[in-house]
Amino acid sequence: MINIVLLTLLVVIAIAIIRMKDLFAAVMLAGIYGLLSASFFVVMDAVDVAFTEAAVGAGISTLLMFVVITMTGRKEKSIRHKPLPALFVVIITGGLLIYGTLDMPYFGSEDAPIHNHTSPRYINDSMQEIGIPNIVTSVLASYRAFDTFGEVVVIFTAGIGVLTLLSIARTKKNDEEIESINDSMHQQHLVVRIIAKMLIPFIFLFALYVQFHGDFGPGGGFQAGVIFASAIILYAMLFGLVTARKVINQIFIQLIAALGVLLYGSVGIVSLMNGGNFFDYNVLSSNPITGQHLGILLIEWGVGCTVASVIVVIFFNFAGRRELQQHKKPSQDKESSK
Amino acid sequence: MEIVITISSGFLLLVGSFLCISGGIGLLRFPDFYTRMHAVGVTDTLGAGMILAGLMILSTDFLVFAKLVMILLFTLLIGPTTSHVLAKAAFHNGVIPKGSNNLKQTKEKESTSSII
C-alpha cells in the first residue's frame, strides 16, 4: 500500500518536473523526488541506499543545481519547434526497455536467480567470513571491493573533469575587501551564521560517526563524505567563498581526493603482494577476520576522503565561477537582486 | 505506572499530530506567504517537539532516548531558523504582507529612490 502511494507520488513529481517552466521549482521538486525515493528505499529495507540517496539526491545535488541556476537564470528557454524525433526515439527506447523487463523475474519473486545463490551466500557466510554485523558494508567493501573501487574512481574522475572545465586562475583579493564582504554578510545573515556556527561541529562529528559506524549500522564512506562536505559547503555559503578558501586550501583538498583513491588502490596492491587476490583482505593480517576489519576500515576511509574532497572541489569551482561572473557585471547583478 | 506512561505519551503524540495537521491546513488555507509560513513554522516546531517527547516517554533504551533528545534539539534549532530565513528572503525579494499598506508604500518609496 505504502509502496503504491510513494511510487504514485514519484510519478506525479516526475511529470511536474517535466511540465515546470520555472527551473528553481524544478530543482526543488528534484530534491523532493530524491527524498521520496529515499523513503521508498527505507520501506524496502535498503537503509544504506536510502541514506546515500537522502544525502546525495536530496542534499548535495540539489544544492549544486541551485548554484548553477544562480548563473544561468531561472526560466527555461521556450522551445518553438515540436521535438517529434526525440519523442519517437524515447518511445522506441522505452518500449525496448519495457520489452526487456518482461524476461526478468517478477518483483520480489522467490525463484529469482539473485535470491538463489548470491544473497543466501552473503547472508549466511558474511558473519563468519567478514565478522561485521552490517552485511551491506561487507558486500560493498569486501565481496565487491573491486566494484566500489570503480565507483570511487568515477567520483574522482568527475572531480578532475570539473577541475579541467571550470578551474580558473583566481585573482588575489586583499584582506580589506574580504573584511568588508564579511561585515556586510554578517549583517545580512546574523541568525543563520550563529546557528550554523553551533551546528557545524556536530555535523562533522556526525560525519565521523557515520564513517566509522558503517560496520555496525547504515553508513560508510560515501555517506560520511557527503555529510562532511556539506558542512564545509554550509560554511562556505555563510562566510563567503574567499573565507572558506582561506580556511580550506583547495590544492590540499585536491591532494586528499587523490590520496583517497591511492589508499584504496594500495590496500588492493598490498593484499596482492601478501599473496592473496586483489582486495583479498584475509592476508592483510595473521587473523583473517582482523585483516577483513582492517581492510574495510582503510578502504572506507579512502572512499570518505575522496568523496568529501571531490564534492568540496566541485562546489568551490562552481561557486568560484559564479563569483567571477558577478564580478564582471556587478551593475546587472544589483538590479536583479532588487 | 505503565498506564500513566501509555496515556501521557499517547496524549503527546495526539496533540503533536493535531498540530502538524493544523499546520498543513494552514499552509493550504492562509491568504499570503507570511501567514502560511507562520502556520507551518510554529506548528511544526511544537508538533514535532511533542511527537518526539511522546516517543521519548515510550522509549526504554537509553541510546534511543539520547538520539531522540538530539533530534529534538536539532529541530528546535533548525525549525525557527528556517522560518526566519524564509521570511527574510521573501521580504528581501519584495513580498509584501497582505493588508499592510504602510509597509507597501515605504517599500515602494525605497525601491524608487534606489533606482534614481
Side-chain angles (χ1 to χ4, degrees):
Chain A
M1 180 63 201
I2 202 159
N3 280 344
I4 295 169
V5 172
L6 282 174
L7 284 175
T8 320
L9 277 174
L10 280 180
V11 172
V12 168
I13 288 175
I15 293 171
I17 292 175
I18 297 169
R19 307 282 307 171
M20 200 68 77
K21 289 277 179 241
D22 186 353
L23 290 178
F24 188 83
V27 171
M28 216 64 212
L29 281 173
I32 296 173
Y33 187 91
L35 204 63
L36 269 178
S37 25
S39 21
F40 184 56
F41 293 143
V42 171
V43 172
M44 292 178 77
D45 271 344
V47 198
D48 289 76
V49 187
F51 202 165
T52 319
E53 178 64 35
V56 178
I60 290 289
S61 67
T62 316
L63 204 140
L64 288 178
M65 282 197 265
F66 275 139
V67 178
V68 174
I69 280 182
T70 56
M71 288 189 272
T72 57
R74 274 184 72 154
K75 288 278 171 282
E76 191 177 332
K77 246 187 208 165
S78 56
I79 307 165
R80 295 259 161 64
H81 68 280
K82 292 252 175 3
L84 278 179
L87 184 71
F88 185 68
V89 170
V90 165
I91 285 178
I92 292 220
T93 329
L96 283 176
L97 284 174
I98 291 172
Y99 178 71
T101 56
L102 291 181
D103 266 355
M104 280 167 66
Y106 284 113
F107 174 71
S109 80
E110 278 174 27
D111 51 333
I114 191 151
H115 295 310
N116 282 334
H117 55 275
T118 332
S119 300
R121 161 78 203 275
Y122 291 151
I123 292 166
N124 294 330
D125 298 350
S126 121
M127 200 61 199
Q128 283 98 48
E129 285 177 359
I130 316 284
I132 59 172
N134 189 1
I135 299 176
V136 177
T137 303
S138 67
V139 172
L140 175 127
S142 182
Y143 290 113
R144 293 181 171 270
F146 199 60
D147 295 7
T148 314
F149 188 51
E151 282 166 32
V152 176
V153 171
V154 164
I155 290 172
F156 183 62
T157 319
I160 294 177
V162 168
L163 269 180
T164 30
L165 287 176
L166 295 181
S167 183
I168 29 163
R170 289 193 302 280
T171 45
K172 271 248 187 293
K173 285 188 178 171
N174 51 3
D175 285 350
E176 268 177 43
E177 202 176 338
I178 296 170
E179 202 87 319
S180 70
I181 294 170
N182 222 346
D183 277 354
S184 73
M185 278 182 80
H186 196 66
Q187 290 284 318
Q188 260 178 28
H189 305 296
L190 190 62
V191 175
V192 198
R193 270 190 166 195
I194 291 169
I195 297 288
K197 263 186 192 167
M198 284 160 72
L199 285 181
I200 282 173
F202 291 103
I203 300 177
F204 281 133
L205 197 66
F206 182 62
L208 289 176
Y209 168 79
V210 171
Q211 170 82 47
F212 292 110
H213 203 257
D215 299 2
F216 306 100
F222 288 99
Q223 295 94 329
V226 172
I227 295 169
F228 206 86
S230 69
I232 295 175
I233 290 175
L234 181 65
Y235 182 81
M237 278 163 70
L238 289 174
F239 294 82
L241 198 62
V242 188
T243 328
R245 276 211 170 111
K246 273 192 151 182
V247 180
I248 299 142
N249 191 346
Q250 203 187 318
I251 308 290
F252 179 63
I253 287 281
Q254 289 165 16
L255 196 71
I256 290 183
L259 276 180
V261 180
L262 187 69
L263 178 65
Y264 199 138
S266 35
V267 171
I269 299 288
V270 167
S271 55
L272 259 185
M273 276 154 60
N274 281 6
N277 289 327
F278 200 46
F279 294 122
D280 182 6
Y281 308 138
N282 284 344
V283 293
L284 286 181
S285 162
S286 50
N287 182 1
I289 298 281
T290 327
Q292 290 284 353
H293 285 208
L294 184 69
I296 288 174
L297 191 77
L298 283 175
I299 67 140
E300 289 274 18
W301 191 231
V303 171
C305 285
T306 303
V307 170
S309 33
V310 163
I311 287 172
V312 170
V313 162
I314 290 176
F315 177 79
F316 272 14
N317 279 298
F318 275 27
R321 198 79 184 177
R322 173 171 167 267
E323 216 157 60
L324 198 76
Q325 201 181 32
Q326 280 181 345
H327 215 70
K328 268 184 199 160
K329 38 181 184 179
S331 56
Q332 208 177 331
D333 185 63
K334 246 175 213 165
E335 266 167 36
S336 65
S337 71
K338 278 277 146 59
Chain B
M1 195 57 203
E2 192 88 337
I3 195 152
V4 175
I5 287 175
T6 319
I7 287 176
S8 55
S9 80
F11 176 74
L12 281 174
L13 287 177
L14 212 68
V15 175
S17 320
F18 170 75
L19 282 172
C20 285
I21 291 172
S22 65
I25 295 171
L27 177 71
L28 292 173
R29 300 279 302 169
F30 275 160
D32 76 333
F33 178 82
Y34 293 97
T35 42
R36 285 180 176 188
M37 202 205 63
H38 171 83
V40 179
V42 173
T43 52
D44 254 18
T45 311
L46 187 62
M50 287 187 104
I51 288 175
L52 285 171
L55 292 176
M56 266 181 232
I57 296 175
L58 273 185
S59 68
T60 46
D61 190 5
F62 175 73
L63 199 62
V64 175
F65 182 79
K67 279 177 183 169
L68 285 171
V69 170
M70 275 192 264
I71 297 173
L72 179 64
L73 282 179
F74 189 71
T75 21
L76 284 182
L77 277 174
I78 288 297
T81 317
T82 38
S83 313
H84 164 83
V85 173
L86 267 178
K88 196 163 180 174
F91 191 71
H92 212 75
N93 287 309
V95 181
I96 306 289
K98 243 186 187 174
S100 61
N101 287 322
N102 286 336
L103 204 64
K104 205 170 187 173
Q105 277 157 11
T106 48
K107 192 91 181 172
E108 267 165 16
K109 258 183 211 165
E110 255 177 37
S111 58
T112 46
S113 65
S114 69
I115 283 170
I116 294 162

